[in-house]
Structures are given as structure tokens and as C-alpha cells.
Amino acid sequence: MLFEDFASAQSALLWSTFVIALIMGAVVNKTNFCTMGAVSDIVNIGDNGRMRAWLFAVAVAMIGVAIFEATGMASVDASFPPYRSSTLIWAENLLGGIMFGVGMTFGSGCGNKTLVRIGGGNIKSVFVLLVIGVIAYFMVNPFPGTDITLMSALFYDWIRPLAINLTGPQDLGSLIGGENAAQMRTWLGLGLGLLLAIYAFRSTEFRKSFDNILAGVVVGGAILAAWYLTANMAVTLDGETHSLRAIVENWSFVTDDAPGKPAAAAPWSTQSFTFINPMGQTLGYTASGFNYGLLTFGVMALLGVISGSFLWAVVSKGFRIEWFANFKDFLMHLLGGVLMGFGGVLAVGCTIGQAVTGTSTLAVGSMIAFAGIVFGSAMTMKIQYYKLVYEEEASFAKALISSLCDLRMLPNGLRKLDAV
């Protein structure tokens, strides 16, 4: 997709992103695709239908990326965020994933679900979005008049030293294949993706569920569409082809349109859907008075999902205004938003950004974050259930230990409460 000037390419990318996100938002609302719900279904009723839909979306994205890279249709090496970075921030991925999993349980859904719920009329989710946006923004941007971010003040000095510096990219293809990384990525992407798809379709109930299959296809397909779109947008100047990021990085050398320069180059890299950092981007864009230089893929993705969900809610007559039930409900959503803001940035993504988009690149950090999210959410649900059943008898410590026993993280002999 070649354009003669940056402005045309910029407009095409932003509006294409909006359309893809709009379709995803509508389908996620229609099918009730929910990653927190997937964990809840398994923990509470033993139903793994929505988890299979989630894993099927991963399979679609993973197989698609393998095909893209094998055929030269797109490369996700130089992505934003850098999923295949040679610095494996495993502790941040894990801690952030767990925090995010806990937060999405308190906040009634992950980042993507928060946007879908806003489209459906949920005012509580607007509040959660604002909280996540503020935290995410100041995790990567300094407070006014300082060079201090929340990341540098609270996390960087003690958690970044735990990172592992690899000799090459962190994806499984590079780690296993070495000099044959490209070929190994292809075989692993196709193989692992196929195994996930087979697992999903082994269930008769899943095969009979049109909504679960549709959700997996559309969510995974949207990830692929964004990868392809952002990897192939380019501008031809004086007979040479330049990526959009290269144009922004070398703005004064390749264009005379100084007033139209985007605020940063990284958001114009190859990328796909993630929703926590874009909430911070959207806050910055809004606070700037809608400065066009701050309008990015992430902002349009956020607006697209909300719009798609709203359209489906109106068409299906499911639009309902919902507010906090009580003060405790407010506090739980506040805490959920804070944890998702911190956790999503630490983990470098959410249930879509890491568990689907990041995992499609075979990045080890993404897989660690995915595991952390599922563990954090499942553990929180278990604790809440023990507290509900045993009431005063169940202290937090007893509920936590018993929950870890249920999840086989501790020996059953340490259990403090009978299993429920």
C-alpha cells in the first residue's frame, strides 16, 4: 500500500484501523467474547467454551503471522511495542500480568471488555477507562515539570535489573532455531497454532457454538489485519519507498510539511491491537485539545471498539445505562482500574495486547504475561468465592492459601478451608 505523501498514508491507516476495530467491537459485544469471563467460566462452573474461543483467536493470529512472515507479506520484527526485544523483562511480564488479572476481575473485565461495555452503556466502565488512562499515561510520561514517571518512581530501579539480556530476539523461533530462526518461526507458528485450533475444536459444544467460533475468527483476524496494514503502509518519495516510522524519524529530510509531524515515531511502527497504552494515548490526545499529532493507531483502535460495540448494542436493543450498585462496587472498580493501569504497562499489554497480539509473534515475554493474567484472575476469583461461602471464618490468608491449593500452586495438605 504505497502513497505519494505521508498525510494520505496517515489518513488511510487511521481510518482503516477504526473500521477493523469497529468490526471487532461489534462482534465481541454480539458474541460476549470476554477473557475474564473465560477464566470465570472455568473456575466457577467448569465450562471452557469461552477459553477455547480465546485460544482459537490466538491460533488464528499465530498461524496468520507465520504465513505472513514465511511469504514475505509482513514482518513483525520491528513492532511497537517490541515484542521480540532481546531484553526479556520476565519479572515485569509476570508481575504485570498478575496485577492485570487481579484488576480485570475487580473491574468487571479487561481493557477490551471495558471498551465494549462502554459502547453498551456502562458508565462504570467509563470510570475504569479514565483510571486506567491516567495510570498508563503517567507510567510512560513524566509528571509536569519533572522527568519522573510512575514507572521510574515505583518500579524501574528494582525490577528492571531482573531482566535477561539475550543475544538475539526473545521469540521461540530465534531461541530454538538460532541461525534458522525464520524457518523455525514458521514451523512453530503453524504447529502451535494448529494445536490450539485442534484443542478448541475437540469440544463438541465449541463446534456447535457459532458465537464462540465467530469471536475467535474475528478477534484473531482483526489482529492479523492490523499487522498486515501497519507493516505495509509506505510512502514513495523521489522513487524511494519509506515506512511511516522512517518518515517521522527523518521528517525534516523527507518532507516540507513540518506542521503535520506526529509527536512521536514509535506509534507509527508495525503493530496490532492492544488497549492499555492506547488508553493513556487517548488521555494525552484529549488533554492536548485533540492535537492531530497525537492521534495514533491506538487512539483510533479504542474509538473503533467503542463505536462498534455501541452500534451492536443499538441494533440488538441491548444498550443499557449502568451505574455503581453501591460504594463498595465503586471501590472495587477503582482498584481494578488502578491495577490494570499499572499491570498493563508493566506487562507490556493486556489480554488482547499480550495474550493474542504478542503471543502471535511467539514472544516468550508475551506467554509469561498471558500466564500471569490467567493466574491472577483465577486466584482472585477463588479468594472471592471462599470469602463468600465462609464469610467471617475465611480470613484473607486462609482464602489465599486454599485458593493456591485449588490451583495446585501449594500442596493440598496446607489447605486452611475445605474446597468449595
Side-chain angles (χ1 to χ4, degrees):
M1 291 171 280
L2 297 177
F3 296 83
E4 295 182 355
D5 58 82
F6 180 82
S8 298
Q10 179 185 39
S11 179
L13 175 62
L14 294 176
W15 283 112
S16 296
T17 300
F18 179 83
V19 171
I20 296 169
L22 183 143
I23 294 170
M24 181 166 65
V27 170
V28 167
N29 190 333
K30 189 265 181 202
T31 60
N32 197 26
F33 179 88
C34 177
T35 49
M36 188 201 78
V39 179
S40 177
D41 287 350
I42 291 177
V43 170
N44 294 320
I45 59 176
D47 180 9
N48 57 19
R50 285 196 286 183
M51 179 60 76
R52 289 176 188 268
W54 189 4
L55 294 177
F56 183 46
V58 176
V60 171
M62 192 177 287
I63 292 171
V65 167
I67 294 172
F68 281 173
E69 294 197 311
T71 58
M73 294 174 65
S75 171
V76 301
D77 274 343
S79 67
F80 174 71
Y83 292 113
R84 289 176 174 171
S85 169
S86 60
T87 302
L88 177 59
I89 52 172
W90 66 271
E92 291 165 60
N93 294 141
L94 181 59
L95 176 61
I98 293 173
M99 291 175 68
F100 188 89
V102 175
M104 76 175 189
T105 306
F106 289 154
S108 302
C110 65
N112 181 49
K113 189 63 175 182
T114 295
L115 303 179
V116 170
R117 286 163 63 88
I118 290 172
N122 193 302
I123 308 301
K124 293 192 290 187
S125 293
V126 174
F127 173 74
V128 173
L129 169 61
L130 292 174
V131 173
I132 294 174
V134 170
I135 299 294
Y137 182 84
F138 286 110
M139 277 288 281
V140 297
N141 293 283
F143 292 103
T146 76
D147 59 356
I148 299 173
T149 66
L150 284 172
M151 179 68 183
S152 65
L154 301 176
F155 299 101
Y156 191 89
D157 288 343
W158 65 270
I159 201 168
R160 187 53 59 89
L162 300 175
I164 300 173
N165 293 313
L166 306 171
T167 57
Q170 64 172 273
D171 65 280
L172 291 177
S174 296
L175 294 175
I176 297 174
E179 295 181 356
N180 298 314
Q183 295 164 320
M184 185 59 69
R185 285 171 181 168
T186 300
W187 290 115
L188 284 174
L190 293 175
L192 292 175
L194 183 60
L195 287 175
L196 288 174
I198 290 173
Y199 170 76
F201 280 91
R202 282 188 63 187
S203 167
T204 302
E205 291 185 6
F206 180 83
R207 293 197 301 270
K208 292 180 178 180
S209 173
F210 174 78
D211 278 358
N212 280 340
I213 295 173
L214 177 65
V217 169
V218 171
V219 172
I223 301 301
L224 286 179
W227 276 132
Y228 181 83
L229 177 72
T230 58
N232 289 282
M233 282 282 182
V235 177
T236 54
L237 297 172
D238 299 324
E240 296 184 357
T241 301
H242 304 270
S243 69
L244 301 192
R245 175 165 182 161
I247 292 285
V248 178
E249 289 178 330
N250 301 281
W251 191 266
S252 60
F253 297 101
V254 297
T255 179
D256 296 325
D257 188 18
K261 181 182 179 181
W268 296 94
S269 307
T270 300
Q271 62 192 291
S272 192
F273 291 105
T274 187
F275 293 105
I276 299 303
N277 185 260
M279 290 181 182
Q281 292 176 358
T282 304
L283 177 68
Y285 171 63
T286 304
S288 72
F290 305 104
N291 178 356
Y292 192 67
L294 295 174
L295 187 58
T296 63
F297 172 97
V299 175
M300 294 300 283
L302 182 146
L303 297 176
V305 170
I306 293 175
S307 299
S309 176
F310 172 74
L311 288 177
W312 178 257
V314 171
V315 169
S316 64
K317 299 181 180 180
F319 187 85
R320 297 287 186 275
I321 299 296
E322 185 177 347
W323 185 240
F324 298 105
N326 48 48
F327 186 65
K328 181 181 178 181
D329 191 30
F330 167 80
L331 289 178
M332 294 296 285
H333 282 79
L334 172 61
L335 180 58
V338 170
L339 288 172
M340 281 193 282
F342 281 120
V345 175
L346 271 177
V348 198
C350 55
T351 54
I352 297 296
Q354 279 287 40
V356 185
T357 297
T359 302
S360 74
T361 72
L362 302 178
V364 173
S366 299
M367 297 176 186
I368 293 173
F370 189 176
I373 291 170
V374 173
F375 170 73
S377 182
M379 179 184 66
T380 305
M381 292 175 190
K382 283 282 186 180
I383 292 172
Q384 289 177 325
Y385 195 46
Y386 275 111
K387 296 286 287 181
L388 176 66
V389 171
Y390 284 95
E391 299 179 344
E392 291 84 3
E393 181 184 346
S395 66
F396 175 79
K398 288 182 179 180
L400 173 61
I401 292 172
S402 299
S403 298
L404 292 175
C405 291
D406 287 346
L407 296 172
R408 299 181 182 179
M409 302 294 292
L410 289 176
N412 202 51
L414 296 177
R415 177 180 298 279
K416 302 299 180 182
L417 300 168
D418 292 336
V420 292

